[in-house]
Amino acid sequence: MKLYTADLSPFAGRCRMLIYFKGIEKDVAFAAPTAALGSAEWKKINPTGKLPALITNGRLLIESEVILEYLEDRFPDPPMRPENLEDRALARLLNRICDLYIFEPMFPLFGQMSPRQRDMAIVEPNLAKVMNGVGHLEAFWPEETGPFVFGPACSLADCGVVPTLFFVDRILPAFGVEDPLARHPQVYSYWLAMNKDPLASRVISELQRGLDERRAKAAG
Ligand SMILES: N[C@@H](CCC(=O)N[C@@H](CS)C(=O)NCC(=O)O)C(=O)O
């Protein structure tokens, strides 16, 4: 099985997190994309031009949630879907909040990182939406939990939420929002705990390495 991945991709980071927590690194070869994302060359491998992409049994699977679900079905031990059906639905909901209410509005912000060429008509509404999205995570956060979303074991929700919080934590300060997660107590204490967890923090360090490389390139 081959996973096309990159340090800075939060969506590939979801898949790596599941792979680390399941202990299945020996079953999955990591590969860098063979060409620039979005390029005609890369679209020969993944027609959407995106990451991640999983090649398994001669088939291409894309979309991080689909890859997570596939890996969970293929390697059910340890289980990463919560046992209780409502919690299982909640795990999916938290990941959808990350996709629809946090990443969707965060994407336009990536084009606005430079303060000198910033269009506030793009920044302000999207920044507000991202903060609202984190508020939705807080509102739906399960009670009496920790250190992971659903207690002592990592779930599919953790795989989605950790890379998302990394981006909120690292990108929003560039727009003047200091400590964006500290405004949401449950999400914040979770984030602090994940930074101390050996495997979650491995994913966080990979994302950080990707971000440092991107920033060094941008600085020339
Ligand atoms: N919904 C997709 C999002 C994938 C995505 O947007 N990946 C980014 C990298 S983090 C990408 O490939 N961007 C390049 C592009 O859109 O051309 C998923 O969950 O896998």
Side-chain angles (χ1 to χ4, degrees):
M1 217 183 296
K2 186 195 283 188
L3 179 73
Y4 286 103
T5 175
D7 279 345
L8 188 56
S9 166
F11 304 103
R14 284 179 176 180
C15 304
R16 293 197 305 271
M17 185 150 160
L18 175 140
I19 289 164
Y20 300 156
F21 273 93
K22 286 207 180 266
I24 55 168
E25 258 182 283
K26 63 184 179 326
D27 298 288
V28 189
F30 290 158
T34 52
L37 300 184
S39 67
E41 190 61 25
W42 176 242
K43 284 182 183 165
K44 287 183 198 157
I45 297 206
N46 175 1
T48 66
K50 293 178 192 280
L51 272 185
L54 183 77
I55 312 283
T56 178
N57 287 330
R59 299 267 288 265
L60 166 71
L61 288 180
I62 60 164
E63 288 296 320
S64 54
E65 279 300 297
V66 172
I67 295 173
L68 287 187
E69 296 278 351
Y70 171 78
L71 291 173
E72 173 64 17
D73 288 339
R74 175 129 178 218
F75 301 97
D77 196 28
M80 288 177 70
R81 286 189 192 103
E83 224 167 274
N84 168 302
L85 287 187
E86 288 72 29
D87 283 348
R88 218 173 258 206
L90 179 56
R92 294 194 175 106
L93 174 61
L94 294 175
N95 284 354
R96 277 182 87 83
I97 289 174
C98 291
D99 281 345
L100 300 177
Y101 297 95
I102 299 180
F103 273 117
E104 282 272 333
M106 201 187 298
F107 281 131
L109 296 178
F110 292 142
Q112 304 292 321
M113 294 302 287
S114 158
R116 274 175 292 139
Q117 298 153 5
R118 198 166 270 177
D119 181 347
M120 292 314 283
I122 296 178
V123 170
E124 278 171 2
N126 284 300
L127 205 50
K129 282 184 191 167
V130 172
M131 288 307 291
N132 260 339
V134 183
H136 297 334
L137 282 185
E138 180 78 15
F140 281 98
W141 206 259
E143 280 171 20
E144 291 174 28
T145 171
F148 295 96
V149 177
F150 292 102
C154 181
S155 70
L156 297 181
D158 297 282
C159 297
V161 172
V162 165
T164 308
L165 296 185
F166 171 86
F167 272 84
V168 174
D169 188 62
R170 300 302 202 272
I171 298 301
L172 267 56
F175 297 95
V177 185
E178 290 306 326
D179 265 335
L181 299 175
R183 304 166 184 213
H184 300 287
Q186 298 190 96
V187 168
Y188 189 50
S189 62
Y190 169 78
W191 174 240
L192 297 179
M194 288 300 100
N195 275 272
K196 289 194 191 123
D197 178 85
L199 295 179
S201 67
R202 179 175 171 194
V203 176
I204 293 168
S205 322
E206 291 165 354
L207 291 162
Q208 185 63 53
R209 185 170 64 199
L211 186 60
D212 292 343
E213 269 170 25
R214 175 68 57 90
R215 284 182 172 156
K217 239 184 226 168

